Amino acid sequence: MTEPVLSLSGVRKSFGALKVTDGVSLDVAAGELHALIGPNGAGKTTLVHQISGMLRPDAGSIHFRGSDITGFSPERRSRAGLARTFQITSTIPSLSVLENVALGVQARGPSPLALLRHAASDESLNGPARAAIEAVGLAERADVLAGWLSHGEKRALEIAMALTLEPAAILLDEPLAGVGREEGERLIALLKSLKGRYAMLLVEHDMEAVFALADRVTVLVYGRVIASGDPASVRADPAVREAYLGEEG
Amino acid sequence: MSATPALPDAAPGEPQAFALPARKRRPLIAIILFLALAAVPLVVSLGLPAHWLTLVTRAMIFAIAALSLDLILGVGGLVSFGHAAFIGIGAYVTGIMITEGRTEALLILPVIFVLCGLFAAVTGAVSLRTKGVAFIMITLAFGQMAFFLAQALSAYGGDDGLTLSDRSTLLGFKPFASRTSFYYVVLAALAGCYLLISVIVASRFGRILRAARENATRVTVTGFDVSRIRLIAYVISGMIAGLSGFLLANQTEFVSPAYMSWARSGELIFMVVLGGVGSLHGAIIGALAFLFAEDALSRLTEHWKVIFGPMIVLFVLFTRGGLVGIIGRLGRRHD
């Protein structure tokens, strides 16, 4: 087996007496879509924060593309090729869609902080940004301010922003949360189109989406992995049914 | 879009419905503003009291400082309450060097830029570890440190301040000596700073600085070191404010610790808020309006601060987007 792109081993995190992440080990192979599911309060977002570097684990290690990134700052992880989206969409509302996406192009390209170089007219930023916007189906909305987008469009924008980082892996924190049905279907189609090209860790509540998209599913309950495997066997797992799927009907 | 300065990581708030038209209107307002300023000496020669030339010169000097503050406050979202310290450093370096017989501006200015840059780098590196109110308080504390240091400079006047024996020179010429030529020197400096800061705001760097004001987390996960970007902006801002200190010392031929009092820092913030946060030309309009109001009220009564204070409060309470916002709304009404 080839080395996974992203791998967690024995990651632990407590807030006071509460163990939010209790020895989680999991990995994501190149091109694999690995879904992380679990009931509310299972510690999924906390885990994503630890992978993206916004929280530091108390113990355990995180390896990305063969190197230990446990102590890396978020910006350093991003530059190493680990992109993420947020459960609560996180964009720059007063910048246009194009400008938002160009931020990522700028971060990856040469002289990202040039002091005197006009940004808005810079084709070396706008060109790749437009390509990413097209890839997520927002081409017609390129000049709209991000604050004006619908919820689903903001989700797509976040994915475009992640793509411009030329990532090796993308962390998707509930990309379907709060999105209407029609837009949700569009997003699922988008994620499907990206499948195979990036290693993706998908945190999601929407079971239908998870079983339609995932190559592998890991179930997190109270910070602990209770099951992991291909979608069919996880769906059949009695512990999972009891802890999670049961309540969904 | 409120009149109060945006704190870092402020909520997105209402969608900025008027952002695009305002962006287009901006060069026009700036051009009119600079043409009007360029015409002031002419109008004075045609019969306006000569006092106006001094007043507008002083206002433009503060406009440079307000402009530099707008870069970090309006664009970067960092409410610095110690900005007068940079004016003070600029003024004191000028005063001390002239007292020591070094009047050449090309000698004084590099010293000012280095010292202001250093002061900004050191104080910024500490202050930028904090956010919001803590940031305001730490910048205030550093500003007061500079103030007390100036008070302790007994060799150069201490508490009483330092009277300059002469104005600066430039390569042997005396462009700072006559009132009219000094006016144009200050106008040129203001125009230069305005252009420089406009270019910076529109640059790759400026875009990141603006983006970090609205959503620092997003900028961080995109791969940028937000603290470093803010520190660079803080240093640039401090150096430009130092330039205004140089000009102020030359105009008044006097420097004193009062130049860097916390009240002066507060006035700079108010100039920016009065004009319209983050628009750059708003900072210039704000500084002009502030100094005109101060001048007019102080002629009416010696207790002018009693009137000025409440005016400030009412203005902040009842206007949105400062004077530039009002101009923008008037402009739209005629569209």
Side-chain angles (χ1 to χ4, degrees):
Chain A
M1 190 182 146
T2 54
E3 200 182 338
V5 175
L6 175 70
S7 129
L8 278 65
S9 73
V11 173
R12 284 174 201 284
K13 176 87 195 169
S14 303
F15 294 133
L18 184 68
K19 290 179 185 164
V20 234
T21 307
D22 194 359
V24 171
S25 301
L26 62 83
D27 50 50
V28 188
E32 180 189 35
L33 198 154
H34 189 150
L36 184 67
I37 63 173
N40 275 331
K44 304 183 294 285
T45 292
T46 309
L47 190 62
V48 172
H49 280 331
Q50 290 172 80
I51 302 172
S52 69
M54 309 191 68
L55 286 174
R56 181 125 338 155
D58 298 335
S61 69
I62 302 166
H63 283 76
F64 180 63
R65 292 168 117 176
S67 47
D68 187 344
I69 61 161
T70 320
F72 280 26
S73 66
E75 61 267 26
R76 204 165 155 205
R77 290 179 205 220
S78 162
R79 285 200 293 269
L82 181 61
R84 74 165 288 182
T85 70
F86 287 84
Q87 184 175 358
I88 296 159
T89 50
S90 178
T91 60
I92 317 292
S94 79
L95 293 187
S96 72
V97 168
L98 183 67
E99 288 171 320
N100 265 282
V101 178
L103 291 179
V105 184
Q106 187 176 329
R108 297 294 290 175
S111 51
L113 291 181
L115 260 179
L116 304 177
R117 208 150 130 200
H118 197 256
S121 58
D122 193 335
E123 264 317 295
S124 69
L125 298 181
N126 293 341
R130 275 203 202 90
I133 292 171
E134 237 157 78
V136 302
L138 281 180
E140 282 164 22
R141 308 283 276 163
D143 295 321
V144 176
L145 299 186
W148 285 16
L149 294 182
S150 76
H151 200 58
E153 286 172 331
K154 280 187 192 157
R155 297 276 185 203
L157 169 59
E158 270 205 282
I159 293 171
M161 292 170 86
L163 294 183
T164 56
L165 299 175
E166 294 164 24
I170 308 176
L171 310 171
L172 298 154
D173 194 358
E174 300 205 20
L176 300 175
V179 172
R181 224 192 116 140
E182 201 179 315
E183 284 192 314
E185 274 164 16
R186 224 174 295 153
L187 282 169
I188 291 172
L190 168 61
L191 292 177
K192 243 182 201 154
S193 75
L194 300 175
K195 237 185 103 167
R197 284 195 273 162
Y198 307 94
M200 290 189 270
L201 184 67
L202 169 71
V203 173
E204 191 45 70
H205 255 305
D206 183 333
M207 284 307 118
E208 216 177 305
V210 166
F211 289 110
L213 287 166
D215 300 305
R216 198 151 41 128
V217 178
T218 292
V219 184
L220 202 63
V221 175
Y222 295 122
R224 209 174 309 181
V225 174
I226 62 161
S228 186
D230 63 88
S233 59
V234 166
R235 203 201 284 262
D237 191 309
V240 175
R241 294 193 79 89
E242 189 190 336
Y244 187 24
L245 294 176
E247 72 187 49
E248 299 265 318
Chain B
M1 293 257 120
S2 81
T4 45
L7 293 171
D9 303 328
E14 60 197 80
Q16 311 208 336
F18 307 118
L20 285 175
R23 237 189 255 180
K24 280 186 198 143
R25 211 180 293 274
R26 178 166 140 193
L28 185 65
I29 298 180
I31 289 167
I32 294 172
L33 181 63
F34 277 105
L35 285 178
L37 286 173
V40 168
L42 185 70
V43 179
V44 167
S45 73
L46 292 177
L48 200 71
H51 158 78
W52 274 85
L53 205 55
T54 311
L55 176 64
V56 180
T57 305
R58 186 176 164 82
M60 289 195 298
I61 292 172
F62 278 103
I64 293 174
L67 201 52
S68 73
L69 179 62
D70 201 23
L71 175 66
I72 51 172
L73 191 155
V75 181
L78 305 164
V79 183
S80 163
F81 214 120
H83 216 60
F86 298 106
I87 301 181
I89 293 172
Y92 264 92
V93 168
T94 310
I96 291 171
M97 285 182 75
I98 289 176
T99 305
E100 299 299 332
R102 308 249 173 235
T103 55
E104 175 55 51
L106 294 183
L107 218 62
I108 297 175
L109 286 172
V111 176
I112 291 177
F113 291 144
V114 168
L115 283 180
C116 284
L118 273 176
F119 186 73
V122 172
T123 60
V126 178
S127 338
L128 286 168
R129 291 168 168 275
T130 63
K131 290 196 231 187
V133 176
F135 179 81
I136 299 175
M137 296 323 285
I138 289 194
T139 53
L140 173 64
F142 280 124
Q144 288 303 94
M145 256 173 60
F147 174 78
F148 289 122
L149 189 71
Q151 274 194 329
L153 276 178
S154 52
Y156 297 102
D159 220 359
D160 299 328
L162 174 66
T163 303
L164 275 62
S165 53
D166 203 355
R167 288 194 180 189
S168 289
T169 53
L170 183 69
L171 298 170
F173 294 99
K174 296 194 162 182
F176 308 109
S178 108
R179 215 189 315 207
T180 310
S181 78
F182 185 65
Y183 181 91
Y184 281 113
V185 166
V186 173
L187 177 60
L190 176 62
C193 292
Y194 176 74
L195 283 178
L196 176 69
I197 296 178
S198 301
V199 168
I200 290 174
V201 170
S203 73
R204 294 179 170 208
F205 175 84
R207 185 185 270 177
I208 301 298
L209 183 65
R210 261 187 304 155
R213 176 193 67 208
E214 284 187 66
N215 190 339
T217 308
R218 166 47 72 186
V219 173
T220 302
V221 299
T222 307
F224 293 100
D225 183 343
V226 170
S227 304
R228 195 170 132 238
I229 288 158
R230 287 178 172 161
L231 184 60
I232 294 170
Y234 196 67
V235 169
I236 295 172
S237 170
M239 289 164 82
I240 295 174
L243 172 66
S244 81
F246 166 80
L247 296 171
L248 188 63
N250 268 295
Q251 190 190 24
T252 56
E253 297 178 14
F254 174 71
V255 293
S256 90
Y259 285 16
M260 39 183 128
S261 72
W262 65 270
R264 180 53 59 75
S265 296
E267 285 173 12
L268 288 175
I269 294 177
F270 180 64
M271 289 174 199
V272 173
V273 174
L274 178 69
V277 174
S279 65
L280 300 189
H281 59 279
I284 302 176
I285 295 172
L288 292 170
F290 185 93
L291 278 127
F292 289 170
E294 191 184 64
D295 182 70
L297 288 174
S298 62
R299 275 153 198 278
L300 281 178
T301 160
E302 62 179 302
H303 304 294
W304 59 277
K305 283 184 178 168
V306 178
I307 306 172
F308 202 39
M311 265 176 63
I312 293 180
V313 173
L314 290 174
F315 188 87
V316 173
L317 281 178
F318 292 109
T319 61
R320 303 253 150 201
L323 291 173
V324 169
I326 294 173
I327 294 171
R329 278 193 289 279
L330 289 175
R332 261 194 306 283
R333 202 165 292 166
H334 295 292
D335 281 350

